[in-house]
Amino acid sequence: MLHKILRYWWRRLSHKAPVRLAMTLLVKNEVDIIEDNIRFHVKQGVDCFAVMDNGSDDGTRELLERLKSEFDLDVIDQPEQNYQQAKWMTELAFYARDTMGADLVISNDADEFWQSNSGGSLKQHLNLNESVVTVKRHNMALSEAALKPGYHYMDSDLVVKNPIFYDSSAQINDTAVAMLLVKISPKTIVNPHGLIELKGGNHRAKHGWRLINKRDETGITVYHYPIRNYEQFKANIENRKRLLETTNARMGDHYRRWVRILDEGGLEEEFKRFILSDNEIEVLKKLGVIQASNNQGRA
């Protein structure tokens, strides 16, 4: 362990070695998106991946095993079903530091794609002196193209640039709320040296150097694809329902809304409300709520 600490400080002080950027992911049943995610981020300059599989039974675990032969990727099995997201993601950050030699760690979800706004590597916006770097995250909206055969979720080019600030009660109870247009929390890139813990959802981090050199980074955008098709959406909410019923897991208002709607038998109608017509898109663009994105599409 001592040699790892000394190696880090030598790299930090000398700046002779490039930043080694790791990405950690906690996944369960993400077979439709996890390979896209990893291939995309390799192109964005991520050097290695630590992926914790939480009991997938849809082929995700087997797919990760195949990807290990192609990329610098470690898989950690976590069979417990008590959804300790903050604890597990903190453990993954330490694993990336101690086992994979990471200087900086992106704590990611399978449906989030981190992109340099100027093109090229994410590393051009980062350095070894970082503690906690906060990056804005934006939902991707759905048009009527999402209902057509052959549609791929990354074909969407509609980003929610200026979200609507619905209050918490409305997000849970108001059927007219457009959930993909709500404000969502940012994400963080952390230096695992000095990291104390990641907070739930990986939106914040407790870090020993945070007050000295935390910062926001506007050169990176996180594109979020939470809803890809109805089958994926339904499976996700069924899993969230089980977690809420069997654990003390903390979840956002949107998940509590969707679990309630699932219980009421209205989940398919809720999915249809995600789809924006051409006229709705025109109005929302005029108001500045959504705009065409510069996401680079499929990996």
Side-chain angles (χ1 to χ4, degrees), residues 21-255:
L21 180 61
M23 177 170 284
T24 62
L25 296 118
L26 171 62
V27 301
K28 179 171 183 176
N29 292 344
E30 304 283 7
V31 72
D32 70 311
I33 196 170
I34 187 61
E35 183 172 2
D36 291 343
N37 189 291
I38 290 168
R39 292 189 183 279
F40 181 92
H41 288 113
V42 168
K43 292 181 179 180
Q44 289 289 317
V46 175
D47 297 298
C48 57
F49 300 82
V51 186
M52 181 177 286
D53 184 83
N54 189 211
S56 294
D57 57 11
D58 69 338
T60 297
R61 181 62 179 83
E62 292 77 10
L63 176 56
L64 288 169
E65 196 65 28
R66 293 197 298 273
L67 292 172
K68 283 171 57 177
S69 65
E70 187 175 350
F71 302 110
D72 187 351
L73 186 153
D74 288 358
V75 182
I76 299 94
D77 290 307
Q78 175 52 267
E80 294 183 21
Q81 296 299 305
N82 52 2
Y83 196 67
Q84 300 183 64
Q85 184 183 29
K87 176 177 181 290
W88 293 343
M89 292 304 288
T90 301
E91 291 174 357
L92 280 176
F94 293 150
Y95 180 93
R97 177 193 67 191
D98 298 336
T99 304
M100 309 186 86
D103 298 307
L104 296 173
V105 176
I106 296 174
S107 298
N108 199 24
D109 291 331
D111 58 6
E112 295 169 350
F113 291 73
W114 300 59
Q115 181 177 302
S116 167
N117 297 336
S118 58
S121 173
L122 295 169
K123 294 186 209 177
Q124 66 187 293
H125 306 284
L126 305 170
N127 63 71
L128 287 170
N129 293 320
E130 314 285 11
S131 59
V132 179
V133 179
T134 300
V135 178
K136 287 185 177 180
R137 183 173 59 129
H138 299 276
N139 276 339
M140 299 300 291
L142 297 175
S143 70
E144 292 176 337
L147 302 176
K148 297 178 181 178
Y151 173 80
H152 187 276
Y153 62 92
M154 288 189 79
D155 291 337
S156 172
D157 68 344
L158 299 173
V159 62
V160 182
K161 185 65 175 178
N162 295 296
I164 298 173
F165 286 75
Y166 298 106
D167 65 29
S168 178
S169 176
Q171 289 192 40
I172 295 174
N173 300 306
D174 191 339
T175 58
V177 167
M179 288 303 295
L180 286 183
L181 303 183
V182 304
K183 185 180 184 296
I184 58 176
S185 300
K187 298 299 290 274
T188 59
I189 303 171
V190 300
N191 189 324
H193 302 268
L195 176 66
I196 299 171
E197 65 175 334
L198 289 164
K199 300 296 185 178
N202 313 311
H203 306 302
R204 295 176 293 116
K206 188 176 181 181
H207 197 285
W209 316 335
R210 181 181 174 88
L211 295 179
I212 300 173
N213 59 359
K214 67 176 181 178
R215 68 179 181 87
D216 296 336
E217 174 54 60
T218 60
I220 297 173
T221 298
V222 182
Y223 293 101
H224 186 217
Y225 297 83
I227 311 298
R228 304 188 287 280
N229 54 61
Y230 177 67
E231 291 73 20
Q232 167 265 328
F233 176 55
K234 181 181 179 184
N236 186 8
I237 305 312
E238 288 173 341
N239 182 55
R240 298 285 174 166
K241 172 180 167 66
R242 182 192 62 77
L243 289 170
L244 286 172
E245 291 175 344
T246 60
T247 73
N248 294 319
R250 296 180 61 187
M251 293 188 194
D253 293 335
H254 56 302
Y255 284 122

